[in-house]
Amino acid sequence: MNSGTKKLTISVRAALSLSAVLAAGIAGPAFAQDATKSASADQKNPTTLETITVTGSRIRRVDLETANPVVTIDRAQIERAGKLTLGDLVQQLPEIAGAATNPAVNNGGGDGASTVSLRGLGSQRTLLLLDGHRVAYQDLNSIPLAMIERVDVLKDGASAVYGSDAIGGVVNFITRKNYQGAQISVDYGVSGHGDGKRRGFSAVFGQTSDKGGITVGVNYNKQDAVSAGNRKFSNPALYNYFGSIFPLGSSYIPNGRFVIPRTVAAASGLSCAGTAANVSVTRIDGTTGATGSDFRCYKGSGAGNDTYNYAPYNIEMTPAERGGIFTTGNYQLTDSVQAYFTGFTQKTRSNYQLAPLPLIFGADSGVILSKNSIYNPFGVDVSSGGWRDVIGGNRIGQYRTQADQMNLGLRGNFGQSSWQWDAGVVWARTTQKGSFSGYYSKSALAAAVGPSYIDANGNPACGTAANPIANCTPVNLFDPAQSVSVLNGLRVTPSSQSYASEKTAYATANGELFNLPAGAVSASIGAEYRKDTSSLTPDYVSLITDPNLGSCQTSQDACRSAQAGSVDVKELYGELFVPVLADMPFVKSLNVTLGSRYSKYSSAGSTTNSRMGIEYRPVDDLLVRGTVDEVFRAPTIGDLFGGVTPSADTYKDPCSGTGYSAGNPACAGASAGFVQGTAQTRALYGSNSSLKPEQGKSISWGVVYDPHYVQGLSVSADLWRIYLNDTIGSLGTQTIIDQCYNFSRYCGLLTRNPQTGDIETVNNTSQNVGRVTVSGLDFGVKYKLPEFSFGNFMLTLDTTYLKSYNREAIAGDISSQYNYAGTYTSSATGGDGNYARLRGIVGLLWNLGDFDAAIRTRYVSGVRFGDTVSTPAGYNTVAKVSDPNTGAQSFHAGAYAMTNIQFGYQFKPWNARIDVGVDNAFDRQPPMLWQYGFNGNTDERTYDTVGRYYWTRLTVKF
């Protein structure tokens, strides 16, 4: 065979018929489509086709149907989807589950990023590629959308082919090459509420010749914010207590919540409910807080409670502004050697917005209202409770991110043989600067609320007359309106700067070894060296100085750990394709693919991972396929050297109320009658330099059926299963608490507040202790109907059924196993996110002449959510029924279906096209999850939070 070409009949299955459909203009929005055939063979007209490399293998073949299940989104689909970013496009796929982030994530997001969590295994176990090479920055939105020709999604493990992280699957972005001409697009969109406006612009220019070609493009887009206060589902923050729904926000309120001894409260005429030694009081509106009579008992729950509704100040879509430049090109140096390059730079400005700072009183924050303060009406230290800083306004985190990536290489042939070689380098860099407003200097504020006195001039002063504190003015947090100017003088703006780089050198070769009766045996070999470097540098205000407490010079949620480290890996890999049988009775073809990869890490030792794939076609119409892949994930720099990062995690205290037991070590620090007073605790997530790789297997078996008697129909089904051992991660806040309470394990990882008894700190550090098992079924249908006088139609269906998702925080310990299939548990409470049983996209596409249209419905089945309980079998899951006796609640969110509609028209005389569309056309609201949803009473990582959205795009080609 010469130059990698073969004689093949037009029946090369899959893409040929789809290409014809797309050329006819039938393609609609991003309907995922398997690369499978949809036309029968035409044995009389052979066509010469170039061999290509299909995502999932490095061996060049003419067959687009292989053992690997791949979903493809092509350029036509991208343009008609009406999306401005790759994140918006890819995250709609039903193979994605769990808790991948996106710009709708406000609390815990704000950097404008979108990630991919194939099979719900997390973005850290999904590999992103650009033209088959790693994307260094795991943010889909950092890659310019106009740069992409198509997106291949491999729904299978592929560590033997691509290395670490390819566990849940691989997303390979193929860039536009050899483009001739110019294309300019402008885009505008707005929600049905009149907010969330977006503007976009892109331009692509290309020139080709016999010697090569170059493509250059620019892109810009801007997305405005959507306020949570403008959506009914997200405002106010709601709580469901056994069917009784009422507003319930934060216990840190503008008038303050002050925990004082019951006897002190009684001396002020306050008789608060309960028998606990301490009670919470709050200042009465309109009073100055100068005396105890200016306060009343705090009401923390039920109708008319005192909690603070933070919801209106948060946002349901974070604002972002992006711009970048990209280029691809190639040049034929000689008849057998070609130079090529790909590069892009993308800048993003984005921010999150949270309600004003909840200033928590206590030793860790440094804010203890001294009994000797001139403003303290109670005469005792107040070291518990807190105040909502409405004076300082909202907390705003601003990010400035730049992602750069460049690939330079040479490729060519070995003489006149079928063997080709490819060698090159990839360089990538990501920088991010963050600044965070709405905070105070801890030490300065601690001094200002400490002991104070009136000096000789009649002015308030900090300290005592014997030991005054210079440059300090006392602050009155019992009535902060009296200290506005002083508080403003204590404000700080923490900041941080991160840097990451990845340098890769690679060399590969592939071609045919020898011929067997069934065809040529082909092979691919390669070597790769990669070095990753990363650092995070917080400023002095936000730098964590005490890793055991996660504390810094300001409030906990702004604290960061310094991070610096590097990891390098040397790899050798190879693949072998063997055509075993062909053109025999009941064996049209039988092929086997073998592969293996050796990886040696500077930080985690060496590992070898292999794979086997089988393709069996008994007849032309039917393909039976299967793969078995060994998969792994090496610990990242953040896993190894990331330091400690604090998080405010929601938790349920088993020692609260009737659960209290004096002899239980989990209850040490609480007392009889203890009732949990705070919904969140400080969790410390930390790195571990002794981590080793995660190891496991990915298995899939399936069929593709293209009946010749139904032209245009293709049906596919794939069973899949993934299991992973030695998973890297924390045990989980609730898991640690429950393990201590039920089995007296890990009790040293939690501490309680000595004043209130509430759990104050939970220490989570990454470990190789877990196991994950996930399985399911993918089912897809495509049917191009016969042509009608009123147009051409295509029906598409792409679904994933999740049979099981079981995660053991401690491998082999069923008491630490969580069965998540069919449930939702917020990642903020230690859960893994949304694991609806069934997800799917169904679409109908139509075209007639210059007109085309499409309607697509994305479906997510209902989920059970609520409190996690232990089952009689020993594992944990979301409670199936509510039980007032135990306090466990169970709820069900119904199925969610969102429909997008698109209409397009080609103005051929002007080489122009206009598309208009409505996303979420029926304005479907997301399910209400109340307190179990972390942002806006719902799961913003799965459901649409914007509502009906109108968009239009004009494209002109020159």
Side-chain angles (χ1 to χ4, degrees):
M1 244 164 250
N2 188 20
S3 299
T5 59
K6 285 187 177 181
K7 289 284 186 180
L8 188 74
T9 63
I10 253 177
S11 64
V12 159
R13 325 203 233 283
L16 293 185
S17 63
L18 288 178
S19 298
V21 170
L22 298 179
I26 191 72
F31 294 93
Q33 301 183 18
D34 286 307
T36 60
K37 75 171 186 178
S38 58
S40 63
D42 180 352
Q43 300 288 345
K44 298 180 180 180
N45 298 299
T47 302
T48 299
L49 294 180
E50 191 80 24
T51 55
I52 62 172
T53 301
V54 178
T55 298
S57 174
R58 296 186 184 274
I59 294 177
R60 290 177 292 112
R61 297 176 57 185
V62 291
D63 297 297
L64 295 183
E65 292 175 352
T66 69
N68 305 304
V70 177
V71 168
T72 296
I73 306 171
D74 65 19
R75 186 66 210 172
Q77 296 168 297
I78 293 171
E79 291 178 345
R80 288 158 174 77
K83 305 300 183 183
L84 284 183
T85 65
L86 281 171
D88 288 343
L89 184 74
V90 175
Q91 283 200 344
Q92 304 299 308
L93 294 175
E95 293 80 12
I96 293 175
T101 193
N102 60 63
V105 178
N106 182 47
N107 194 348
D111 60 359
S114 289
T115 57
V116 182
S117 175
L118 289 173
R119 307 305 191 196
L121 289 169
S123 58
Q124 71 274 27
R125 301 185 185 105
T126 298
L127 180 62
L128 303 185
L129 303 175
L130 186 69
D131 287 337
H133 300 290
R134 286 174 175 268
V135 176
Y137 183 40
Q138 298 292 298
D139 171 21
L140 300 179
N141 300 332
S142 69
I143 304 172
L145 183 62
M147 179 184 188
I148 303 305
E149 178 65 26
R150 75 174 193 271
V151 181
D152 289 345
V153 181
L154 173 64
K155 305 181 293 181
D156 202 1
S159 290
V161 179
Y162 299 115
S164 177
D165 309 335
I167 297 173
V170 176
V171 182
N172 190 11
F173 301 100
I174 310 301
T175 59
R176 302 171 79 170
K177 303 176 183 70
N178 299 321
Y179 183 78
Q180 179 66 43
Q183 174 181 303
I184 296 176
S185 295
V186 292
D187 182 285
Y188 179 79
V190 64
S191 79
H193 294 262
D195 55 8
K197 293 180 182 179
R198 77 181 194 202
R199 286 79 73 193
F201 168 83
S202 68
V204 180
F205 308 92
Q207 181 66 46
T208 62
S209 70
D210 293 341
K211 297 290 287 183
I214 185 170
T215 303
V216 178
V218 296
N219 73 102
Y220 170 83
N221 63 78
K222 184 177 182 180
Q223 172 72 62
D224 291 348
V226 173
S227 171
N230 292 339
R231 298 295 185 271
K232 291 182 179 179
F233 68 85
S234 57
N235 183 34
L238 296 174
Y239 194 95
N240 190 328
Y241 184 73
F242 293 98
S244 178
I245 302 172
F246 50 87
L248 184 68
S250 169
S251 61
Y252 305 107
I253 60 178
N255 285 0
R257 180 175 65 85
F258 309 94
V259 178
I260 60 176
R262 181 177 294 275
T263 54
V264 173
S268 298
L270 302 178
S271 179
C272 301
T275 60
N278 296 315
V279 298
S280 293
V281 300
T282 184
R283 182 173 54 82
I284 300 171
D285 284 335
T287 65
T288 63
T291 65
S293 61
D294 288 345
F295 295 82
R296 59 175 175 82
C297 297
Y298 169 81
K299 183 178 182 181
S301 61
N305 62 75
D306 292 322
T307 61
Y308 175 75
N309 180 25
Y310 49 80
Y313 308 99
N314 295 338
I315 48 183
E316 290 298 328
M317 176 61 68
T318 59
E321 187 174 13
R322 302 179 182 88
I325 302 173
F326 64 88
T327 182
T328 65
N330 58 79
Y331 186 76
Q332 201 71 33
L333 298 175
T334 69
D335 289 342
S336 60
V337 178
Q338 183 184 74
Y340 63 90
F341 59 90
T342 300
F344 72 86
T345 180
Q346 184 89 331
K347 291 185 177 181
T348 302
R349 295 186 177 186
S350 57
N351 68 265
Y352 66 76
Q353 176 179 297
L354 300 176
L357 176 72
L359 187 63
I360 303 171
F361 303 154
D364 292 336
S365 70
V367 180
I368 297 176
L369 310 185
S370 173
K371 63 182 178 181
N372 295 318
S373 168
I374 58 175
Y375 299 117
N376 190 333
F378 300 115
V380 295
D381 288 342
V382 179
S383 58
S384 185
W387 166 65
R388 180 70 60 165
D389 179 23
V390 293
I391 292 174
N394 297 324
R395 287 167 290 167
I396 297 177
Q398 296 182 324
Y399 292 96
R400 302 293 182 264
T401 307
Q402 179 170 337
D404 308 309
Q405 185 152 329
M406 179 176 63
N407 178 200
L408 300 172
L410 297 173
R411 57 190 170 213
N413 300 325
F414 287 103
Q416 297 300 311
S417 73
S418 66
W419 278 80
Q420 297 181 0
W421 58 270
D422 187 351
V425 295
V426 180
W427 173 86
R429 176 186 64 186
T430 304
T431 59
Q432 186 177 84
K433 296 180 180 180
S435 63
F436 315 96
S437 64
Y439 296 92
Y440 290 102
S441 166
K442 181 190 293 186
S443 58
L445 185 58
V449 299
S452 56
Y453 67 102
I454 303 297
D455 66 14
N457 298 319
N459 297 318
C462 299
T464 64
N467 295 291
I469 300 175
N471 302 316
C472 176
T473 302
V475 166
N476 182 6
L477 290 186
F478 296 95
D479 185 13
Q482 299 180 28
S483 301
V484 172
S485 61
V486 180
L487 286 169
N488 288 337
L490 302 179
R491 298 191 186 282
V492 294
T493 302
S495 64
S496 63
Q497 182 166 333
S498 64
Y499 172 88
S501 70
E502 185 170 271
K503 301 172 184 177
T504 305
Y506 61 89
T508 66
N510 60 77
E512 296 176 359
L513 295 174
F514 54 85
N515 288 317
L516 293 176
V521 176
S522 300
S524 172
I525 58 173
E528 184 172 305
Y529 172 80
R530 186 173 68 255
K531 183 172 184 177
D532 292 299
T533 303
S534 178
S535 66
L536 173 65
T537 307
D539 68 352
Y540 78 97
V541 173
S542 57
L543 177 65
I544 291 177
T545 54
D546 186 342
N548 294 318
L549 296 176
S551 59
C552 64
Q553 292 302 309
T554 188
S555 296
Q556 173 194 323
D557 65 323
C559 297
R560 304 285 188 275
S561 286
Q563 171 184 309
S566 64
V567 173
D568 64 74
V569 57
K570 304 177 181 71
E571 297 182 292
L572 297 173
Y573 52 87
E575 280 186 89
L576 187 68
F577 170 74
V578 182
V580 180
L581 298 173
D583 299 321
M584 298 179 64
F586 305 108
V587 185
K588 185 64 179 177
S589 64
L590 175 62
N591 303 323
V592 174
T593 303
L594 304 172
S596 191
R597 189 181 192 99
Y598 171 78
S599 306
K600 184 177 181 180
Y601 282 84
S602 60
S603 58
S606 61
T607 177
T608 300
N609 296 271
S610 303
R611 75 182 305 265
M612 180 178 70
I614 297 177
E615 308 157 29
Y616 169 51
R617 191 178 292 277
V619 293
D620 281 333
D621 295 355
L622 180 64
L623 171 66
V624 180
R625 61 190 181 188
T627 62
V628 178
D629 290 85
E630 293 180 326
V631 294
F632 79 102
R633 181 176 84 89
T636 65
I637 294 174
D639 294 329
L640 296 166
F641 313 116
V644 175
T645 301
S647 173
D649 283 3
T650 304
Y651 76 104
K652 188 171 184 179
D653 195 333
C655 296
S656 180
T658 58
Y660 174 79
S661 173
N664 192 310
C667 302
S671 58
F674 164 74
V675 176
Q676 181 178 345
T678 59
Q680 295 178 318
T681 186
R682 178 179 54 213
L684 303 178
Y685 293 88
S687 60
N688 183 348
S689 60
S690 300
L691 292 172
K692 59 184 180 180
E694 302 174 338
Q695 303 276 359
K697 282 188 179 180
S698 171
I699 304 168
S700 69
W701 293 97
V703 296
V704 181
Y705 185 49
D706 306 320
H708 66 275
Y709 51 84
V710 183
Q711 292 291 320
L713 176 64
S714 179
V715 180
S716 65
D718 291 279
L719 289 166
W720 51 270
R721 180 175 184 267
I722 301 170
Y723 70 84
L724 198 60
N725 296 317
D726 298 324
T727 55
I728 297 171
S730 64
L731 294 171
T733 297
Q734 194 65 53
T735 297
I736 291 173
I737 294 170
D738 293 343
Q739 286 280 315
C740 179
Y741 184 82
N742 295 321
F743 306 105
S744 300
R745 301 170 183 159
Y746 307 114
C747 295
L749 299 180
L750 60 90
T751 58
R752 290 184 178 272
N753 185 299
Q755 300 294 323
T756 65
D758 283 317
I759 295 177
E760 192 169 58
T761 304
V762 178
N763 191 352
N764 280 305
T765 55
S766 295
Q767 301 179 51
N768 290 106
V769 294
R771 175 185 170 91
V772 174
T773 304
V774 56
S775 63
L777 168 69
D778 294 336
F779 180 74
V781 177
K782 295 181 297 297
Y783 183 38
K784 181 184 180 297
L785 280 69
E787 185 174 349
F788 299 100
S789 60
F790 47 87
N792 303 304
F793 293 86
M794 176 179 276
L795 292 170
T796 65
L797 174 68
D798 186 14
T799 64
T800 294
Y801 174 76
L802 182 66
K803 181 179 181 294
S804 65
Y805 188 100
N806 302 332
R807 177 171 66 85
E808 297 175 17
I810 306 167
D813 181 0
I814 195 170
S815 69
S816 72
Q817 177 178 313
Y818 293 82
N819 292 10
Y820 284 129
T823 71
Y824 165 77
T825 50
S826 172
S827 57
T829 62
D832 286 6
N834 193 307
Y835 291 92
R837 290 279 190 183
L838 182 64
R839 296 174 186 245
I841 298 177
V842 59
L844 174 64
L845 298 79
W846 166 86
N847 85 305
L848 179 64
D850 294 332
F851 295 90
D852 64 77
I855 181 169
R856 179 191 69 174
T857 296
R858 175 176 175 252
Y859 175 84
V860 180
S861 65
V863 292
R864 191 173 72 252
F865 66 98
D867 295 315
T868 300
V869 298
S870 178
T871 66
Y875 65 83
N876 305 281
T877 190
V878 173
K880 295 184 177 180
V881 295
S882 295
D883 185 352
N885 294 322
T886 63
Q889 299 193 89
S890 178
F891 303 100
H892 185 268
Y896 177 82
M898 187 184 83
T899 299
N900 297 344
I901 299 173
Q902 171 263 340
F903 177 82
Y905 179 72
Q906 297 271 6
F907 296 92
K908 288 184 177 178
W910 297 282
N911 288 326
R913 174 183 175 85
I914 187 169
D915 289 279
V916 295
V918 184
D919 292 345
N920 198 353
F922 303 110
D923 201 24
R924 183 67 187 272
Q925 299 298 294
M928 294 295 293
L929 306 178
W930 306 297
Q931 70 269 27
Y932 298 99
F934 190 59
N935 281 266
N937 297 315
T938 192
D939 174 18
E940 77 292 349
R941 299 172 187 262
T942 301
Y943 308 113
D944 175 59
T945 59
V946 176
R948 184 182 293 118
Y949 199 86
Y950 305 95
W951 62 270
T952 184
R953 173 177 292 152
L954 176 64
T955 302
V956 181
K957 295 183 178 181
F958 303 94

